[in-house]
Amino acid sequence: MSRMHNKTAIVTGGARGLGLAIATRLAEEGANIALYDLLYERAQAAADQIARQTNTQTAFYQVDVTQRDQVYTAAKAVMEMFGRIDVLVNNAGIVSSAPTLLDLDDEQWLKEININLTGTYYCTKSVLKHMMDNRAGKIVNIASMAGELGRPITSAGYSSSKAGVLGLTMSVAQSVAAYGITVNAVCPGIIITEIHQAYGPEQLERLQADIPLNRNGKPGVHGNPKDVADAVLFLASSESDYITGTRIRVNGGSLMG
């Protein structure tokens, strides 16, 4: 039997990149999918694509995760449509390039903190009571290797927001463990998606230079969105029922230990 049969999963930032890969992978294992994204047409197309490929029930909601009311309204709509919320994947995020703090302006700092960290807080809070009442639930936060160490070129706002996501992950995990809810994080390394459009070719080459693992031993062949999606699937499934407050690194060995 599929690992996510009869489960409902919310995936934020689900219209493209890692979010689309995650939503598709969960649907392949039988989950009904609710996509949150600001990009209305992209989210609609993504939901239609997932439904066609996997024959699962899929819906999309235009949501700005920095807006509390929009997040809570969407969570209520998901409950009304599917009757349950079993999994939340907090994936929505942005990244920018700022080699030093002096290159990072206040507006971008606040934008990265608000989307990456505050958005995770709002979305988690919007489903938590339902999960606590059910004494079950899986929350998977997409953090980043950048939240564990300083990374060249990547802005301090992004790294700080993702470090905050890791702190939030552990704090929430501790507080809801008695209810049977698991809260974990996936920390991707450099997985090239549309989010990296802020970087130039030379910057991307520099970011990937320290990845030691070559897929199938082929030089220069590294990670892809499915690698992250598979890690999320594990944490969203019953296979990880006794794992909480931790992180899985998907980085090709860029950070070990």
Side-chain angles (χ1 to χ4, degrees):
M1 181 178 291
S2 55
R3 286 179 275 181
M4 301 297 295
H5 177 68
N6 202 35
K7 303 292 186 181
T8 296
I10 295 172
V11 180
T12 72
R16 57 182 176 173
L18 293 182
L20 178 56
I22 291 165
T24 301
R25 190 72 187 93
L26 295 178
E28 286 173 348
E29 289 292 329
N32 296 316
I33 302 296
L35 298 180
Y36 289 6
D37 209 289
L38 269 176
L39 304 173
Y40 182 88
E41 292 182 358
R42 292 279 304 257
Q44 182 179 34
D48 291 344
Q49 173 186 320
I50 293 169
R52 286 195 307 271
Q53 289 179 355
T54 64
N55 197 32
T56 55
Q57 194 173 4
T58 307
F60 66 94
Y61 304 86
Q62 189 172 27
V63 179
D64 180 345
V65 296
T66 71
Q67 301 301 309
R68 182 185 184 279
D69 289 348
Q70 290 186 30
V71 170
Y72 276 73
T73 297
K76 183 179 178 181
V78 174
M79 279 296 302
E80 290 173 350
M81 179 170 183
F82 295 101
R84 59 191 295 157
I85 298 171
D86 302 285
V87 176
L88 167 65
V89 182
N90 284 305
N91 167 75
I94 58 167
V95 64
S96 68
S97 171
T100 76
L101 198 63
L102 297 178
D103 300 303
L104 180 64
D105 60 45
D106 292 353
E107 181 180 1
Q108 189 63 21
W109 164 272
L110 290 172
K111 189 174 182 180
E112 289 176 329
I113 295 294
N114 286 339
I115 294 174
N116 299 343
L117 179 55
T118 304
T120 298
Y121 161 76
Y122 283 150
C123 290
T124 300
K125 202 169 181 181
S126 73
V127 304
L128 205 55
K129 185 179 186 304
H130 170 70
M131 289 183 174
M132 291 171 73
D133 288 344
N134 285 350
R135 292 188 170 268
K138 301 275 190 171
I139 298 172
V140 184
N141 298 325
I142 305 302
S144 173
M145 186 175 71
E148 301 185 84
L149 59 105
R151 195 160 70 187
I153 306 168
T154 301
S155 82
Y158 180 78
S159 294
S160 298
S161 68
K162 292 302 187 177
V165 168
L166 289 173
L168 182 65
T169 298
M170 292 181 285
S171 179
V172 177
Q174 183 71 246
S175 69
V176 300
Y179 295 88
I181 300 165
T182 67
V183 188
N184 293 290
V186 173
C187 295
I190 300 300
I191 307 288
I192 303 302
T193 68
E194 291 181 47
I195 198 174
H196 291 94
Q197 288 177 344
Y199 295 85
E202 291 184 2
Q203 291 175 318
L204 290 175
E205 183 177 350
R206 182 180 172 190
L207 285 172
Q208 295 179 90
D210 67 343
I211 301 174
L213 182 63
N214 294 320
R215 186 184 295 277
N216 299 321
K218 298 177 181 178
V221 181
H222 302 303
N224 58 59
K226 186 178 180 297
D227 296 316
V228 176
D230 285 338
V232 172
L233 173 61
F234 170 68
L235 292 174
S237 74
S238 61
E239 295 169 8
S240 62
D241 280 354
Y242 203 58
I243 298 173
T244 196
T246 192
R247 69 201 69 174
I248 294 179
R249 295 181 177 131
V250 184
N251 61 32
S254 299
L255 176 61
M256 299 185 184

